[in-house]
Amino acid sequence: MILIIGGAYEGKTGYAAKILGISESEIINGSICDFCEVYSAKAVNNFHMLIKRLTEINEKDAVEFVADICGKNPNIVIISDEIGCGIIPLDKNERRWREETGRACCKAAELSEAVVRINCGISSVIKGELP
C-alpha cells in the first residue's frame, strides 16, 4: 500500500498517475464509489471523503476499514487530502470526521510501504521507498 497525502489541489492524483504509472481511469473517487470497490481498485482518490461517508453511516470503524483494505488489497494507492490542520470546526460531526480521517490515515501510513507528502506539486517521500 502507498499513501499519498497533502493539501487540496496540490497535485496528488497527477503524481500518482505519472510516477506510479496509474491511469486516471484506474483511480476511483472516494466521494462516490461503492465501499466494496476499494478492495479491488488500483487507487482511491478523495479517501478523506470516503471516510466521511463511512462515519456518516456508522457502518464500520475507520481504522478497521483501513486494516481490511490493506489485508484485501495490499497494493492499493490511497490518496487523501490533509484535513487535520487549520480551524477546528464548531460542528460535532465535522470534528468527528476529521478525527476519524486522521486515525485512518495514521493506520494507512503505518501499514504502507511508502508514504508521500505532496506540497505545491513537490513530492517528499516521508516513509519507505516507491516501487
Side-chain angles (χ1 to χ4, degrees):
M1 183 162 54
I2 296 173
L3 173 64
I4 300 173
I5 191 153
Y9 310 107
E10 296 280 352
K12 299 178 298 294
T13 307
Y15 175 85
K18 180 179 177 186
I19 302 300
L20 301 175
I22 301 170
S23 73
E24 300 225 5
S25 65
E26 295 175 303
I27 302 173
I28 63 171
N29 185 344
S31 297
I32 58 172
C33 71
D34 186 278
F35 291 110
C36 295
E37 285 183 76
V38 297
Y39 297 121
S40 60
K42 202 161 195 180
V44 58
N45 190 21
N46 294 317
F47 185 72
H48 59 290
M49 296 304 296
L50 184 70
I51 297 301
K52 182 174 188 170
R53 293 173 41 227
L54 186 72
T55 60
E56 287 172 349
I57 62 171
N58 293 314
E59 184 173 304
K60 186 180 234 182
D61 178 74
V63 173
E64 290 176 19
F65 183 58
V66 171
D68 285 349
I69 293 169
C70 185
K72 295 176 182 173
N73 190 0
N75 296 319
I76 192 169
V77 176
I78 294 176
I79 306 166
S80 183
D81 282 3
E82 168 56 59
I83 61 169
C85 300
I87 298 170
I88 299 170
L90 292 175
D91 183 72
K92 179 182 176 181
N93 292 328
E94 289 291 313
R95 288 192 308 272
R96 181 172 174 251
W97 165 48
R98 285 181 185 221
E99 179 72 23
E100 290 297 316
T101 300
R103 291 177 195 270
C105 286
C106 285
K107 187 63 172 180
E110 175 190 327
L111 298 174
S112 290
E113 296 171 18
V115 178
V116 180
R117 174 171 278 291
I118 306 290
N119 191 353
C120 297
I122 299 171
S123 64
S124 298
V125 178
I126 58 176
K127 178 186 174 184
E129 294 181 18
L130 295 173

